[in-house]
Amino acid sequence: QSALTQPASVSGSLGQSITISCTGTSGDIGTYNYVSWYQQHPGKAPKVLIYDVTYRPSGVSNRFSGSKSGNTASLTISGLQAEDEADYYCGSYTSTAIYVFGTGTNVAVL
Amino acid sequence: QVQLVESGGGVVQPGRSLRLSCAASGSMFSNHGIHWVRQAPGKGLEWLAVISYDGSKKYYGDSVKGRFTLSRDNSKNTVYLQMNSLRGEDTGVYFCGKDLGTTSLFFYYGLDVWGQGTTVTVSS
């Protein structure tokens, strides 16, 4: 099972919005709505931001939102803040290998 | 709310074994699958394995299949990852994580609670 494909890096200015894509196949994102997004700061454990494509756990800022179209899921961060600088990973259930993460995206706040 | 704590990491020679533990505090541990995820130095997250809430189903990624074995003891709120025939490429931080789903055997929805990680270094 290959990792889901994400851009290696995305950057934006304070207050701007950015979108991170996550491309899979019909065996994962294209068929199942079990896509999650995780934020990881250096040296820390990942934290879930979005689950089931669009749902935010309690305590997660509403500046984070998720969506899906076909085999591609997306995470949008609006009103970019300095503390959003981190690595972001998508993850999905997959019929062939149970679970798979994306390749990861480093977000830089300019 | 469940909290998870990994332990058992360390330095081990290639070909040797190590057992990691993932201990949970809080309620409802026995209703959830538990995943193990690895992060090699400077690399991304790699899903390794998951054990169902009751321990009856275990699934492994290709990189560890046949070498790593999952088990759980719900009376002790603990999941174990037995790692055999360790290789240099097994070096990394190992996280355990609780699945979002409840009492699921076949579908796994994502990880909503993560431990802080334990470091495994395979080196001679």
Side-chain angles (χ1 to χ4, degrees), chain B residues 2-21:
Chain B
V2 173
Q3 292 183 314
L4 302 176
V5 177
E6 303 92 339
S7 62
V11 180
V12 61
Q13 293 179 328
R16 303 299 290 266
S17 299
L18 206 59
R19 189 178 80 159
L20 304 184
S21 299

Side-chain angles (χ1 to χ4, degrees), chain A residues 39-47 89, chain B residues 39 45 93 95 114-117:
Chain A
Q39 177 192 60
Q40 186 182 33
H41 288 105
K44 301 293 187 182
K47 168 190 171 184
Y89 296 89
Chain B
Q39 189 166 36
L45 302 176
V93 178
F95 298 99
W114 295 68
Q116 83 290 350

